[in-house]
Amino acid sequence: MKSVTVVGGGTVGLAVAWTVARRGSTVTVVDPRPGSGASWVAGGMIAPYSEAWPGEDELYRLGVESLGLWEGFARELQAFADGPLITARGAVHLAVDDGDAAELETVAAAVADPALFGPLRPSAALRSVPGAAPRIRAAAHAPQEIAVDNRLVHGALLAACRAAGVSFREETVHATDLDDLTGDAVILCAGADSATLAPELGIRPVKGEVVRLRRGPTCLPPPTVTVRARVRGRQVYVVPRADGVVVGATQYENDRDVAVRIGPVVELLDDAFTVLPFLREYELIEVNAGLRPTTTGNAPVIAHLGGRLFGATGHGRNGLLLAPVTGRRAADMVLRQEVQAWN
Ligand code: GLY
């Protein structure tokens, strides 16, 4: 393909644009505000094992493959980044009651390899997470997972794309404009907007609220691992950043409403404080809501949609995780005209 237009400048769109441009095509990204959607809100967990769930085999395989690509992807991107991209190595799961402990066993059964996701003695978990509340029922860990600073990743991708000759058009694309876009191929990477741009894909927005906290001068430091907790049936994650943590996330079906609701956010923070009480002393610096572009089976669509149109969208909870593998697969699909349907 000589020229490729990518619709959507989030992390997935930029990963696709960067990969395609480095294979020799002329690439244009069209997005009114690159990185302003789910890419900006995300926690940044690169976590195929922790996110594993029975019946989601295709998503799991794709996630494991992408985790394998992440170290190299991050190493190359680091040259364009304003700070360290990888903010944590390893994830520790804490379960507060019996039901929470049973859920960890369900995840472990889906992964089926205790070296990748396996039980951890509560005493070992507490050593890995200084300051954690001692009353936990069970723990598990995923030592090979990482976490990244989503905003640094996005900034680095923008710079890397520019260095690779990608051009940007800050315009909104409507469904009626798709046929008019220039390019030998058009790749739809529009996140939650894919729901309206290509309704036939069945993508729906699933809202999530995320809180950013900053460590104050007298506070305990952020954990060095991602901490994921199940607190009496609810889930919370705490993802380290250089100067604090990202706490996420609520999850509910809610059309296109990105208003932040107090009740669910208070519950989220309450759950985080239950397992990491020292976070109460941190500064609250930001609360955002984003829309996860979610498919019925939770696996993304990386597929030829007909004519010049291809899709690389519908990454749900896993856009950051799946960015490298999506870049590679979308580039293979478009440049070699290999058409692979993932769902
Ligand atoms: N990736 C985690 C979330 O969507 O909340």
Side-chain angles (χ1 to χ4, degrees), residues 233-257:
R234 291 199 301 246
Q235 292 191 35
V236 63
Y237 53 78
V238 177
V239 193
R241 289 291 187 268
D243 61 348
V245 295
V246 178
V247 181
T250 58
Q251 179 154 313
Y252 43 103
E253 311 276 343
N254 199 309
D255 287 333
R256 309 200 58 79
D257 167 15

Side-chain angles (χ1 to χ4, degrees), residues 42-45 51 210 228 237 248-251 292 316-319:
M45 296 178 296
E51 294 276 333
V210 167
R228 301 181 64 132
Y237 53 78
T250 58
Q251 179 154 313
R292 305 173 181 90
R317 295 174 56 86
N318 295 297

Side-chain angles (χ1 to χ4, degrees), residues 33 75 79 99 134-135 153 161 198 204 206 241 302 304 327 332-333:
R33 290 171 59 217
R75 217 174 12 254
R135 293 182 63 165
V153 168
C161 279
R204 67 187 197 283
V206 174
R241 289 291 187 268
I302 305 174
H304 185 207
D332 288 349
M333 176 174 70

Side-chain angles (χ1 to χ4, degrees), residues 114-150:
L116 301 176
F117 187 97
L120 187 64
R121 276 205 296 275
S123 56
L126 296 175
R127 273 198 302 280
S128 301
V129 188
R135 293 182 63 165
I136 52 169
R137 170 73 185 76
H141 67 159
Q144 295 185 17
E145 291 182 347
I146 59 173
V148 296
D149 185 316
N150 58 311

